[in-house]
Amino acid sequence: MSIIESPDTITLIRPDDWHVHLRDGSHMAAVLPHTARQFARAIVMPNLKPPVTTAADASAYRDRILTALPAGMRFEPLMTLYLTDNTDPDEIRRAQETGFIHAVKLYPAGATTNSAAGVTDLRKCYKALEVMQELDMPLLVHGEVTDGDIDLFDREAVFIERVMRPLRRDFPELKIVFEHITTRDAAQYVAEAEGPIAATITAHHLLYNRNEIFKGGINPHYYCLPVLKREEHRLALLTAATSGDERFFLGTDSAPHAVHAKESACGCAGCYTALHAMELYATAFEQAGALDKLEAFASLNGPAFYGLPVNEGTVTLKREAWTIPPSVTMGEHQLVPLDAGNQLNWKML
Ligand code: DOR
Ligand code: ZN
């Protein structure tokens, strides 16, 4: 149980981030300490250029992360493989044998950043999925169809009907995480589904609806994929996250892009929240009057789904006003965090 010592202090078991983009090279070196300060472990997305498609790639990437970790910081990267039409089922076995690869990521081809090498037709992956089901290796799903004739705001709901239902019918024992859900449809689907399915929810989808992208002009730092939806969907996500239902857990989808790539005629998708993730989640949970449910969402439900131990140690959030910096340095670039320049009323000590 989380300890709410006073209305102004919350102490939680150390949380994990079940979906983060750490990138590589100088960008990774800059963002990694933010994630490592907030979280004990994180599921690290494999959408690098080129993507992390083999156990050997994931092993080398993990080494680079551990090398970049500042001395004295503790952090465990939980690695993933990027599923393609050609993923060899034996690669799944090799991944499982490493002990540090914890999941395989499905990007429908063309759905988002660096997804060109993603899956064009899931039936091409059935042999790999069979092995994953046998080994209990979770499939992490970017749940959006990419057909040009489907409205951008409907892509997640259509994905449920066209891809998720057939997938789960054919692989009823496959562990699936429906990632960064954004709609009432997805929250309901996961809450009502039978079998091993869960969902991650970002802080930005709990705090904002799609108006935020267009308030007073185009606000590229609120553009991510799946895109923010209507208020009714935000409220459904907040209800799911704060319900205590163990199928829902924390995944920031923190996705750093240099400022010039966001503030551009064709801006990249992604919100940067690793700097202040727990503070943002605490703000959302407080709005729902559910701070007592934050620990289950942030620290307990994820490890239970992945079959991993709960972390040792705690973190403390204090009610204290501070201003989110306008930008932080990322290698040779600047990075603008979500809500840059705004005030937060929780601070992680
Ligand atoms: O907004 C997003 N950014 N959504 C994704 O699915 C990918 C991510 C990124 O890698 O930038
Ligand atoms: Zn992501």
Side-chain angles (χ1 to χ4, degrees):
M1 268 303 281
S2 57
I3 307 161
I4 301 187
E5 287 151 12
S6 73
D8 295 334
T9 310
I10 321 164
T11 296
L12 308 170
I13 292 172
R14 254 188 115 197
D16 301 300
D17 184 351
W18 299 97
H19 180 137
V20 73
H21 298 269
L22 293 181
R23 312 300 193 209
D24 213 343
S26 63
H27 288 191
M28 188 240 295
V31 301
L32 177 64
H34 298 161
T35 288
R37 195 179 96 80
Q38 295 255 333
F39 299 106
R41 300 171 289 197
I43 284 276
V44 180
M45 286 297 121
N47 63 333
L48 302 183
K49 287 183 214 164
V52 177
T53 55
T54 65
D57 293 342
S59 175
Y61 185 28
R62 178 172 176 272
D63 289 347
R64 295 197 296 279
I65 295 169
L66 293 174
T67 303
L69 193 65
M73 281 195 118
R74 278 184 307 141
F75 173 69
E76 187 183 350
L78 308 172
M79 307 310 291
T80 61
L81 285 194
Y82 184 115
L83 189 67
T84 73
D85 288 350
N86 305 314
T87 299
D88 181 347
D90 286 339
E91 201 60 49
I92 306 288
R93 295 190 190 279
R94 281 191 284 276
Q96 167 86 0
E97 281 161 15
T98 66
F100 55 72
I101 298 176
H102 292 270
V104 176
K105 173 77 187 220
L106 163 62
Y107 286 108
T112 186
T113 310
N114 299 344
S115 63
V119 172
T120 61
D121 180 349
L122 203 47
R123 280 168 297 193
K124 295 189 172 161
C125 305
Y126 268 32
K127 287 270 182 303
L129 295 174
E130 266 165 35
V131 174
M132 289 171 59
Q133 178 168 255
E134 174 200 324
L135 299 179
D136 244 0
M137 172 75 83
L139 179 71
L140 313 183
V141 178
H142 182 110
E144 291 191 287
V145 294
T146 53
D147 318 42
D149 59 331
I150 303 294
D151 189 278
L152 183 81
F153 291 94
D154 297 334
R155 286 180 166 195
E156 186 172 280
V158 173
F159 184 91
I160 296 172
E161 301 309 321
R162 288 198 190 165
V163 184
M164 195 60 105
R165 285 190 200 279
L167 169 66
R168 299 198 59 252
R169 181 195 61 219
D170 293 347
F171 296 95
E173 301 304 323
L174 177 64
K175 275 188 169 180
I176 293 177
V177 182
F178 198 156
E179 301 230 87
H180 43 54
I181 59 168
T182 62
T183 56
R184 183 175 50 199
D185 313 60
Q188 248 174 28
Y189 175 77
V190 170
E192 290 167 7
E194 280 178 23
I197 183 164
T200 55
I201 308 181
T202 77
H204 41 290
H205 289 97
L206 292 176
L207 288 167
Y208 294 112
N209 65 41
R210 65 192 194 180
N211 285 354
E212 211 60 33
I213 309 168
F214 305 105
K215 231 180 223 174
I218 290 264
N219 297 297
H221 298 290
Y222 294 87
Y223 170 58
C224 63
L225 287 171
V227 73
L228 296 172
K229 303 294 192 300
R230 287 176 180 276
E231 178 66 1
E232 65 189 89
H233 295 294
R234 185 187 76 87
L235 292 173
L237 298 176
L238 201 52
T239 302
T242 59
S243 64
D245 184 334
E246 59 190 22
R247 289 167 178 243
F248 298 103
F249 46 84
L250 186 158
T252 62
D253 199 14
S254 178
H257 290 278
V259 62
H260 66 84
K262 291 287 292 173
E263 299 177 6
S264 146
C266 187
C268 293
C271 296
Y272 189 66
T273 55
L275 183 71
H276 46 341
M278 287 306 294
E279 290 94 333
L280 292 168
Y281 279 108
T283 304
F285 274 62
E286 182 167 47
Q287 271 174 19
L291 278 173
D292 61 323
K293 297 293 199 304
L294 184 57
E295 184 179 58
F297 180 78
S299 315
L300 302 177
N301 298 349
F305 186 82
Y306 276 84
L308 292 170
V310 167
N311 294 316
E312 287 175 9
T314 58
V315 295
T316 297
L317 292 157
K318 194 167 175 261
R319 189 185 301 283
E320 185 185 312
W322 62 289
T323 303
I324 301 165
S327 69
V328 293
T329 299
M330 181 171 69
E332 57 282 29
H333 300 118
Q334 290 296 303
L335 167 63
V336 177
L338 188 82
D339 285 343
N342 289 356
Q343 186 176 300
L344 270 170
N345 293 322
W346 287 99
K347 194 165 190 357
M348 190 153 158
L349 299 182

PDB file of all heavy atoms in Angstrom, residues 54-60 62 79-81 91-103 137:
ATOM      1  N   THR A  54      17.415  -8.104 -33.602  1.00  0.00           N
ATOM      2  CA  THR A  54      17.984  -9.391 -33.174  1.00  0.00           C
ATOM      3  C   THR A  54      18.421  -9.320 -31.712  1.00  0.00           C
ATOM      4  O   THR A  54      18.638  -8.230 -31.165  1.00  0.00           O
ATOM      5  CB  THR A  54      19.236  -9.768 -34.017  1.00  0.00           C
ATOM      6  OG1 THR A  54      20.262  -8.804 -33.741  1.00  0.00           O
ATOM      7  CG2 THR A  54      18.922  -9.798 -35.504  1.00  0.00           C
ATOM      8  N   ALA A  55      18.592 -10.493 -31.133  1.00  0.00           N
ATOM      9  CA  ALA A  55      19.063 -10.551 -29.742  1.00  0.00           C
ATOM     10  C   ALA A  55      20.439  -9.906 -29.642  1.00  0.00           C
ATOM     11  O   ALA A  55      20.743  -9.224 -28.647  1.00  0.00           O
ATOM     12  CB  ALA A  55      19.106 -12.006 -29.274  1.00  0.00           C
ATOM     13  N   ALA A  56      21.258 -10.076 -30.682  1.00  0.00           N
ATOM     14  CA  ALA A  56      22.602  -9.468 -30.660  1.00  0.00           C
ATOM     15  C   ALA A  56      22.495  -7.938 -30.685  1.00  0.00           C
ATOM     16  O   ALA A  56      23.224  -7.247 -29.958  1.00  0.00           O
ATOM     17  CB  ALA A  56      23.417  -9.970 -31.852  1.00  0.00           C
ATOM     18  N   ASP A  57      21.578  -7.397 -31.502  1.00  0.00           N
ATOM     19  CA  ASP A  57      21.366  -5.931 -31.527  1.00  0.00           C
ATOM     20  C   ASP A  57      20.955  -5.436 -30.138  1.00  0.00           C
ATOM     21  O   ASP A  57      21.418  -4.400 -29.656  1.00  0.00           O
ATOM     22  CB  ASP A  57      20.205  -5.534 -32.457  1.00  0.00           C
ATOM     23  CG  ASP A  57      20.475  -5.782 -33.922  1.00  0.00           C
ATOM     24  OD1 ASP A  57      21.652  -5.935 -34.292  1.00  0.00           O
ATOM     25  OD2 ASP A  57      19.489  -5.810 -34.692  1.00  0.00           O
ATOM     26  N   ALA A  58      20.017  -6.165 -29.526  1.00  0.00           N
ATOM     27  CA  ALA A  58      19.484  -5.741 -28.229  1.00  0.00           C
ATOM     28  C   ALA A  58      20.577  -5.797 -27.162  1.00  0.00           C
ATOM     29  O   ALA A  58      20.659  -4.934 -26.276  1.00  0.00           O
ATOM     30  CB  ALA A  58      18.297  -6.611 -27.825  1.00  0.00           C
ATOM     31  N   SER A  59      21.441  -6.802 -27.270  1.00  0.00           N
ATOM     32  CA  SER A  59      22.528  -6.947 -26.309  1.00  0.00           C
ATOM     33  C   SER A  59      23.506  -5.771 -26.439  1.00  0.00           C
ATOM     34  O   SER A  59      23.929  -5.170 -25.435  1.00  0.00           O
ATOM     35  CB  SER A  59      23.236  -8.284 -26.567  1.00  0.00           C
ATOM     36  OG  SER A  59      24.345  -8.390 -25.741  1.00  0.00           O
ATOM     37  N   ALA A  60      23.828  -5.412 -27.676  1.00  0.00           N
ATOM     38  CA  ALA A  60      24.764  -4.299 -27.899  1.00  0.00           C
ATOM     39  C   ALA A  60      24.132  -2.979 -27.433  1.00  0.00           C
ATOM     40  O   ALA A  60      24.806  -2.131 -26.832  1.00  0.00           O
ATOM     41  CB  ALA A  60      25.129  -4.226 -29.380  1.00  0.00           C
ATOM     42  N   ARG A  62      21.832  -2.629 -25.127  1.00  0.00           N
ATOM     43  CA  ARG A  62      21.817  -2.657 -23.654  1.00  0.00           C
ATOM     44  C   ARG A  62      23.183  -2.255 -23.096  1.00  0.00           C
ATOM     45  O   ARG A  62      23.274  -1.466 -22.145  1.00  0.00           O
ATOM     46  CB  ARG A  62      21.437  -4.061 -23.178  1.00  0.00           C
ATOM     47  CG  ARG A  62      21.443  -4.238 -21.682  1.00  0.00           C
ATOM     48  CD  ARG A  62      20.871  -5.606 -21.308  1.00  0.00           C
ATOM     49  NE  ARG A  62      20.946  -5.845 -19.888  1.00  0.00           N
ATOM     50  CZ  ARG A  62      21.992  -6.392 -19.271  1.00  0.00           C
ATOM     51  NH1 ARG A  62      23.069  -6.776 -19.984  1.00  0.00           N
ATOM     52  NH2 ARG A  62      21.983  -6.577 -17.970  1.00  0.00           N
ATOM     53  N   MET A  79      14.985  -4.925 -22.249  1.00  0.00           N
ATOM     54  CA  MET A  79      15.119  -4.749 -23.686  1.00  0.00           C
ATOM     55  C   MET A  79      13.971  -5.403 -24.464  1.00  0.00           C
ATOM     56  O   MET A  79      13.293  -6.312 -23.967  1.00  0.00           O
ATOM     57  CB  MET A  79      16.466  -5.313 -24.161  1.00  0.00           C
ATOM     58  CG  MET A  79      17.680  -4.777 -23.403  1.00  0.00           C
ATOM     59  SD  MET A  79      17.733  -2.973 -23.259  1.00  0.00           S
ATOM     60  CE  MET A  79      18.034  -2.532 -24.984  1.00  0.00           C
ATOM     61  N   THR A  80      13.802  -4.919 -25.704  1.00  0.00           N
ATOM     62  CA  THR A  80      12.738  -5.439 -26.583  1.00  0.00           C
ATOM     63  C   THR A  80      13.302  -5.665 -27.984  1.00  0.00           C
ATOM     64  O   THR A  80      14.302  -5.055 -28.367  1.00  0.00           O
ATOM     65  CB  THR A  80      11.567  -4.438 -26.685  1.00  0.00           C
ATOM     66  OG1 THR A  80      12.041  -3.209 -27.244  1.00  0.00           O
ATOM     67  CG2 THR A  80      10.947  -4.154 -25.323  1.00  0.00           C
ATOM     68  N   LEU A  81      12.605  -6.511 -28.734  1.00  0.00           N
ATOM     69  CA  LEU A  81      12.928  -6.718 -30.152  1.00  0.00           C
ATOM     70  C   LEU A  81      11.846  -6.079 -31.012  1.00  0.00           C
ATOM     71  O   LEU A  81      10.678  -6.042 -30.615  1.00  0.00           O
ATOM     72  CB  LEU A  81      12.936  -8.209 -30.508  1.00  0.00           C
ATOM     73  CG  LEU A  81      14.067  -9.107 -30.085  1.00  0.00           C
ATOM     74  CD1 LEU A  81      13.963 -10.427 -30.867  1.00  0.00           C
ATOM     75  CD2 LEU A  81      15.412  -8.464 -30.287  1.00  0.00           C
ATOM     76  N   GLU A  91      14.920 -16.458 -33.499  1.00  0.00           N
ATOM     77  CA  GLU A  91      15.419 -15.215 -32.894  1.00  0.00           C
ATOM     78  C   GLU A  91      14.662 -14.944 -31.588  1.00  0.00           C
ATOM     79  O   GLU A  91      15.217 -14.422 -30.628  1.00  0.00           O
ATOM     80  CB  GLU A  91      15.232 -14.047 -33.874  1.00  0.00           C
ATOM     81  CG  GLU A  91      16.120 -12.855 -33.598  1.00  0.00           C
ATOM     82  CD  GLU A  91      17.610 -13.191 -33.656  1.00  0.00           C
ATOM     83  OE1 GLU A  91      18.065 -13.827 -34.613  1.00  0.00           O
ATOM     84  OE2 GLU A  91      18.323 -12.792 -32.706  1.00  0.00           O
ATOM     85  N   ILE A  92      13.396 -15.336 -31.566  1.00  0.00           N
ATOM     86  CA  ILE A  92      12.591 -15.172 -30.343  1.00  0.00           C
ATOM     87  C   ILE A  92      13.172 -16.068 -29.243  1.00  0.00           C
ATOM     88  O   ILE A  92      13.288 -15.662 -28.088  1.00  0.00           O
ATOM     89  CB  ILE A  92      11.105 -15.547 -30.603  1.00  0.00           C
ATOM     90  CG1 ILE A  92      10.533 -14.767 -31.802  1.00  0.00           C
ATOM     91  CG2 ILE A  92      10.268 -15.395 -29.343  1.00  0.00           C
ATOM     92  CD1 ILE A  92      10.295 -13.311 -31.578  1.00  0.00           C
ATOM     93  N   ARG A  93      13.550 -17.268 -29.632  1.00  0.00           N
ATOM     94  CA  ARG A  93      14.153 -18.186 -28.637  1.00  0.00           C
ATOM     95  C   ARG A  93      15.477 -17.625 -28.128  1.00  0.00           C
ATOM     96  O   ARG A  93      15.759 -17.653 -26.932  1.00  0.00           O
ATOM     97  CB  ARG A  93      14.367 -19.580 -29.247  1.00  0.00           C
ATOM     98  CG  ARG A  93      13.068 -20.275 -29.600  1.00  0.00           C
ATOM     99  CD  ARG A  93      13.290 -21.747 -29.963  1.00  0.00           C
ATOM    100  NE  ARG A  93      12.049 -22.289 -30.515  1.00  0.00           N
ATOM    101  CZ  ARG A  93      11.015 -22.706 -29.781  1.00  0.00           C
ATOM    102  NH1 ARG A  93      11.089 -22.666 -28.461  1.00  0.00           N
ATOM    103  NH2 ARG A  93       9.924 -23.156 -30.357  1.00  0.00           N
ATOM    104  N   ARG A  94      16.277 -17.121 -29.055  1.00  0.00           N
ATOM    105  CA  ARG A  94      17.562 -16.528 -28.629  1.00  0.00           C
ATOM    106  C   ARG A  94      17.307 -15.343 -27.693  1.00  0.00           C
ATOM    107  O   ARG A  94      18.019 -15.154 -26.707  1.00  0.00           O
ATOM    108  CB  ARG A  94      18.370 -16.066 -29.854  1.00  0.00           C
ATOM    109  CG  ARG A  94      19.082 -17.205 -30.570  1.00  0.00           C
ATOM    110  CD  ARG A  94      20.090 -16.684 -31.600  1.00  0.00           C
ATOM    111  NE  ARG A  94      19.444 -16.205 -32.817  1.00  0.00           N
ATOM    112  CZ  ARG A  94      19.081 -16.976 -33.836  1.00  0.00           C
ATOM    113  NH1 ARG A  94      19.285 -18.282 -33.790  1.00  0.00           N
ATOM    114  NH2 ARG A  94      18.496 -16.462 -34.899  1.00  0.00           N
ATOM    115  N   ALA A  95      16.305 -14.554 -28.013  1.00  0.00           N
ATOM    116  CA  ALA A  95      15.982 -13.385 -27.183  1.00  0.00           C
ATOM    117  C   ALA A  95      15.600 -13.832 -25.775  1.00  0.00           C
ATOM    118  O   ALA A  95      16.091 -13.296 -24.774  1.00  0.00           O
ATOM    119  CB  ALA A  95      14.843 -12.598 -27.824  1.00  0.00           C
ATOM    120  N   GLN A  96      14.749 -14.835 -25.712  1.00  0.00           N
ATOM    121  CA  GLN A  96      14.295 -15.347 -24.409  1.00  0.00           C
ATOM    122  C   GLN A  96      15.474 -15.837 -23.578  1.00  0.00           C
ATOM    123  O   GLN A  96      15.549 -15.607 -22.368  1.00  0.00           O
ATOM    124  CB  GLN A  96      13.291 -16.487 -24.672  1.00  0.00           C
ATOM    125  CG  GLN A  96      12.958 -17.342 -23.471  1.00  0.00           C
ATOM    126  CD  GLN A  96      11.832 -16.745 -22.666  1.00  0.00           C
ATOM    127  OE1 GLN A  96      11.299 -15.693 -23.015  1.00  0.00           O
ATOM    128  NE2 GLN A  96      11.460 -17.405 -21.600  1.00  0.00           N
ATOM    129  N   GLU A  97      16.423 -16.497 -24.260  1.00  0.00           N
ATOM    130  CA  GLU A  97      17.568 -17.063 -23.536  1.00  0.00           C
ATOM    131  C   GLU A  97      18.476 -16.008 -22.928  1.00  0.00           C
ATOM    132  O   GLU A  97      19.205 -16.285 -21.974  1.00  0.00           O
ATOM    133  CB  GLU A  97      18.387 -17.983 -24.468  1.00  0.00           C
ATOM    134  CG  GLU A  97      17.733 -19.341 -24.633  1.00  0.00           C
ATOM    135  CD  GLU A  97      18.232 -20.097 -25.865  1.00  0.00           C
ATOM    136  OE1 GLU A  97      19.275 -19.699 -26.434  1.00  0.00           O
ATOM    137  OE2 GLU A  97      17.560 -21.073 -26.250  1.00  0.00           O
ATOM    138  N   THR A  98      18.460 -14.786 -23.455  1.00  0.00           N
ATOM    139  CA  THR A  98      19.341 -13.751 -22.893  1.00  0.00           C
ATOM    140  C   THR A  98      18.963 -13.411 -21.457  1.00  0.00           C
ATOM    141  O   THR A  98      19.810 -13.009 -20.661  1.00  0.00           O
ATOM    142  CB  THR A  98      19.265 -12.419 -23.686  1.00  0.00           C
ATOM    143  OG1 THR A  98      17.956 -11.860 -23.532  1.00  0.00           O
ATOM    144  CG2 THR A  98      19.622 -12.597 -25.147  1.00  0.00           C
ATOM    145  N   GLY A  99      17.672 -13.509 -21.149  1.00  0.00           N
ATOM    146  CA  GLY A  99      17.203 -13.116 -19.812  1.00  0.00           C
ATOM    147  C   GLY A  99      16.978 -11.624 -19.669  1.00  0.00           C
ATOM    148  O   GLY A  99      16.358 -11.182 -18.711  1.00  0.00           O
ATOM    149  N   PHE A 100      17.486 -10.819 -20.614  1.00  0.00           N
ATOM    150  CA  PHE A 100      17.260  -9.368 -20.492  1.00  0.00           C
ATOM    151  C   PHE A 100      16.339  -8.820 -21.581  1.00  0.00           C
ATOM    152  O   PHE A 100      16.033  -7.636 -21.579  1.00  0.00           O
ATOM    153  CB  PHE A 100      18.580  -8.589 -20.427  1.00  0.00           C
ATOM    154  CG  PHE A 100      19.537  -8.847 -21.577  1.00  0.00           C
ATOM    155  CD1 PHE A 100      19.281  -8.356 -22.847  1.00  0.00           C
ATOM    156  CD2 PHE A 100      20.701  -9.582 -21.372  1.00  0.00           C
ATOM    157  CE1 PHE A 100      20.153  -8.586 -23.890  1.00  0.00           C
ATOM    158  CE2 PHE A 100      21.582  -9.824 -22.426  1.00  0.00           C
ATOM    159  CZ  PHE A 100      21.299  -9.323 -23.687  1.00  0.00           C
ATOM    160  N   ILE A 101      15.896  -9.675 -22.498  1.00  0.00           N
ATOM    161  CA  ILE A 101      14.909  -9.222 -23.495  1.00  0.00           C
ATOM    162  C   ILE A 101      13.541  -9.684 -22.988  1.00  0.00           C
ATOM    163  O   ILE A 101      13.306 -10.877 -22.801  1.00  0.00           O
ATOM    164  CB  ILE A 101      15.232  -9.780 -24.888  1.00  0.00           C
ATOM    165  CG1 ILE A 101      16.600  -9.265 -25.334  1.00  0.00           C
ATOM    166  CG2 ILE A 101      14.136  -9.383 -25.889  1.00  0.00           C
ATOM    167  CD1 ILE A 101      17.102  -9.813 -26.646  1.00  0.00           C
ATOM    168  N   HIS A 102      12.669  -8.733 -22.765  1.00  0.00           N
ATOM    169  CA  HIS A 102      11.430  -9.035 -22.053  1.00  0.00           C
ATOM    170  C   HIS A 102      10.187  -8.967 -22.919  1.00  0.00           C
ATOM    171  O   HIS A 102       9.091  -9.289 -22.438  1.00  0.00           O
ATOM    172  CB  HIS A 102      11.283  -8.100 -20.845  1.00  0.00           C
ATOM    173  CG  HIS A 102      12.295  -8.373 -19.790  1.00  0.00           C
ATOM    174  ND1 HIS A 102      12.083  -9.262 -18.751  1.00  0.00           N
ATOM    175  CD2 HIS A 102      13.556  -7.927 -19.629  1.00  0.00           C
ATOM    176  CE1 HIS A 102      13.162  -9.324 -17.995  1.00  0.00           C
ATOM    177  NE2 HIS A 102      14.073  -8.517 -18.511  1.00  0.00           N
ATOM    178  N   ALA A 103      10.315  -8.500 -24.165  1.00  0.00           N
ATOM    179  CA  ALA A 103       9.123  -8.373 -24.991  1.00  0.00           C
ATOM    180  C   ALA A 103       9.513  -8.135 -26.444  1.00  0.00           C
ATOM    181  O   ALA A 103      10.676  -7.865 -26.755  1.00  0.00           O
ATOM    182  CB  ALA A 103       8.271  -7.202 -24.489  1.00  0.00           C
ATOM    183  N   MET A 137       6.461 -14.813 -23.916  1.00  0.00           N
ATOM    184  CA  MET A 137       7.138 -13.545 -24.258  1.00  0.00           C
ATOM    185  C   MET A 137       6.065 -12.550 -24.702  1.00  0.00           C
ATOM    186  O   MET A 137       5.380 -12.772 -25.697  1.00  0.00           O
ATOM    187  CB  MET A 137       8.132 -13.814 -25.396  1.00  0.00           C
ATOM    188  CG  MET A 137       8.768 -12.588 -25.999  1.00  0.00           C
ATOM    189  SD  MET A 137      10.038 -11.873 -24.955  1.00  0.00           S
ATOM    190  CE  MET A 137      11.467 -12.867 -25.368  1.00  0.00           C
TER     191      MET A 137
END
